[in-house]
Amino acid sequence: PCTAPLVRSFVVASSYTVSDVNIGVRLSHSYRGDLHIFLVSPGGTSVTLQENIGGTRNNLNVLYDDSAGTSITTHTASNDSSTSGPPYQRTFSPTGSLAAFNGSNALGTWELRICDSLTGDTGAFSRADLYLTEAPAALA
């Protein structure tokens, strides 16, 4: 369980219905397999992006997108997490389904939570971007 996560907040000031959610995360961390990363909506819905996968590989620089053809569970390469490189080198579908947010209201504070399940490793958060798509208005 995550007792003291690093939290990155995204405040959405507009009220609309969400039809798609993607999120990019870039960080440096030794032993990426120790990380539990999840996204929580303003309504309290939580989706696991990844949990203790990646083994001894280092760093993370990915975009989580349900429509990606490859699961994050297959990501076995180390990533370039330098801030000089492009963000989100690879795109993967998360462990959980971001579609759990579809139909919810975007308004409020979304939270990216990152936990290290073991002690002794270090890391540094660099960047995260939350991408929300508004559902089209219903036609009369």
Side-chain angles (χ1 to χ4, degrees):
C2 188
T3 56
L6 169 77
V7 177
R8 166 66 168 100
S9 297
F10 305 91
V11 177
V12 178
S14 300
S15 178
Y16 59 87
T17 302
V18 172
S19 67
D20 187 48
V21 174
N22 298 325
I23 186 165
V25 178
R26 179 166 60 187
L27 56 86
S28 63
H29 190 277
S30 56
Y31 293 96
R32 187 175 67 230
D34 298 350
L35 298 178
H36 179 184
I37 304 172
F38 50 107
L39 181 64
V40 181
S41 73
T45 301
S46 179
V47 170
T48 299
L49 302 177
Q50 72 175 63
E51 184 173 16
N52 303 109
I53 56 174
T56 61
R57 300 299 184 200
N58 297 326
N59 310 323
L60 188 68
N61 189 5
V62 301
L63 178 71
Y64 298 95
D65 181 345
D66 279 342
S67 64
T70 307
S71 170
I72 190 67
T73 59
T74 67
H75 184 33
T76 57
S78 290
N79 285 158
D80 175 11
S81 65
S82 68
T83 57
S84 62
Y88 322 131
Q89 295 174 315
R90 297 173 178 92
T91 302
F92 294 100
S93 59
T95 302
S97 175
L98 292 167
F101 300 123
N102 293 355
S104 64
N105 193 315
L107 180 68
T109 302
W110 295 72
E111 291 184 345
L112 174 66
R113 298 180 184 173
I114 303 169
C115 300
D116 187 335
S117 61
L118 299 173
T119 59
D121 297 320
T122 60
F125 176 81
S126 176
R127 176 181 182 157
D129 292 292
L130 179 65
Y131 303 97
L132 302 177
T133 301
E134 182 176 359
L139 298 175

